[in-house]
């Protein structure tokens, strides 16, 4: 941690927070969720969040991320007969079919251009097992019982505030934010300028759910509330 950061405070959502006890969390900012991988899960405007993610990291004492790390073959991979967003039954940790995405060793797994992989103090990998497709970065399972270590890492580093941005708002970002809020350890800020959502979903519902969990929503790092 840089010493000058430890002396600074910033105002987020009307609250003054100390940078040294604040973490910047980039949720799944991967090529598989961008137009760079059109056959995977491209989120409109995904590449636009990179400058804002970098900006929020500059006011935090520590920077962390999550990444999907999916196997090539899994029961949730969409097919012609079972297209994307079709419901899945019979698996406790699978709920929907998705296009194949973010497979290690492929371009889809990599961070978006402009993000420095060496800048992260911790990366939580999720979705590694074929029979599990979690969304939130804090747990490997949908029941939120198998930790990825992210919460523990934040506690170990005495973090009290977490600024969150990433992809996509209504799925991985929302679930991560709710998990962090539910843990009871952190004040969570959602930076909407650093988020983008999947076409056709109701982003406002996700924002309402995050606020209900205790998150503070800001339009950008200038500190304005939603």
């Amino acid at each position: 941690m840089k010493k000058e950061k430890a002396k600074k405070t910033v105002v987020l959502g009307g609250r003054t927070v100390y940078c040294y006890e604040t973490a910047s969390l980039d949720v799944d900012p991967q090529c598989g969720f961008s137009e760079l991988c059109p056959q995977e899960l491209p989120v409109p405007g995904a590449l636009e969040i990179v400058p804002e993610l970098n900006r929020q990291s500059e006011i935090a004492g520590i920077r962390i991320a999550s990444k999907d790390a999916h196997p090539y073959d899994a029961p949730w991979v969409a097919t012609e007969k079972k297209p994307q967003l079709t419901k899945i039954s019979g698996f406790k940790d699978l709920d929907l079919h998705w296009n194949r995405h973010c497979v290690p060793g492929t371009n889809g797994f990599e961070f978006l251009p402009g993000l420095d992989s060496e800048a992260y103090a911790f990366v939580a990998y999720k979705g590694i097992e074929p029979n599990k497709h979690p969304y939130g970065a804090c747990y490997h399972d949908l029941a939120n019982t198998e930790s990825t270590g992210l919460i523990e890492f934040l506690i170990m580093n005495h973090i009290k505030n977490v600024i969150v941005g990433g992809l996509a708002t209504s799925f991985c970002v929302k679930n991560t934010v709710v998990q962090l809020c539910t843990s009871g350890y952190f004040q969570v800020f959602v930076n909407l300028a650093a988020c983008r959502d999947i076409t056709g979903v109701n982003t406002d519902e996700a924002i309402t759910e995050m606020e209900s969990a205790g998150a503070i929503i800001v339009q950008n790092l200038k500190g304005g509330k939603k």
Side-chain angles (χ1 to χ4, degrees):
M1 184 189 305
K2 295 181 180 179
K3 291 184 179 180
E4 59 267 25
K5 285 187 176 181
K7 298 178 181 179
K8 292 182 179 179
T9 61
V10 294
V11 177
L12 293 172
R15 296 195 181 191
T16 299
V17 301
Y18 290 96
C19 297
Y20 72 89
E21 58 185 20
T22 300
S24 175
L25 171 56
D26 301 353
V27 177
D28 301 358
Q30 296 169 263
C31 293
F33 296 116
S34 77
E35 54 266 46
L36 297 176
C37 297
Q39 300 304 313
E40 297 191 25
L41 290 176
V43 176
L47 298 176
E48 299 170 1
I49 71 172
V50 171
E52 191 70 10
L53 289 176
N54 288 331
R55 197 170 294 122
Q56 72 182 35
S57 74
E58 293 174 357
I59 62 172
I62 199 167
R63 186 176 194 178
I64 61 177
S66 65
K67 293 182 82 173
D68 277 357
H70 295 310
Y72 183 82
D73 287 316
W76 54 263
V77 175
T79 64
E80 185 175 344
K81 293 183 178 180
K82 297 178 179 179
Q84 184 161 263
L85 298 179
T86 301
K87 291 184 178 181
I88 297 176
S89 60
F91 294 89
K92 68 176 183 177
D93 289 309
L94 300 178
D95 59 351
L96 298 171
H97 285 282
W98 294 97
N99 292 343
R100 182 180 289 112
H101 59 280
C102 300
V103 177
T106 69
N107 187 48
F109 176 73
E110 301 302 321
F111 282 117
L112 295 172
L115 296 177
D116 180 8
S117 62
E118 299 297 320
Y120 297 102
F122 180 86
V123 178
Y125 297 97
K126 57 192 178 73
I128 300 167
E129 299 179 52
N131 291 347
K132 294 181 179 180
H133 190 284
Y135 299 102
C138 300
Y139 298 96
H140 290 294
D141 61 324
L142 296 181
N144 296 345
T145 63
E146 300 176 19
S147 177
T148 63
L150 188 148
I151 289 174
E152 292 81 358
F153 180 84
L154 293 172
I155 293 172
M156 181 182 71
N157 283 276
H158 310 290
I159 295 300
K160 295 182 180 180
N161 310 292
V162 185
I163 309 170
V164 180
L167 305 167
T169 310
S170 293
F171 288 91
C172 296
V173 171
K174 181 196 74 174
N175 280 273
T176 298
V177 167
V178 171
Q179 289 171 349
L180 289 170
C181 289
T182 303
S183 75
Y185 292 104
F186 318 107
Q187 176 58 66
V188 183
F189 299 87
V190 181
N191 179 13
L192 292 183
C195 301
R196 294 293 185 276
D197 215 349
I198 294 173
T199 301
V201 302
N202 190 332
T203 304
D204 288 340
E205 287 185 0
I207 291 173
T208 298
E209 187 172 341
M210 289 187 284
E211 286 182 311
S212 296
I216 295 175
I217 312 296
V218 298
Q219 289 288 354
N220 51 53
L221 293 183
K222 295 179 181 179
K225 289 187 178 181
K226 177 179 69 73

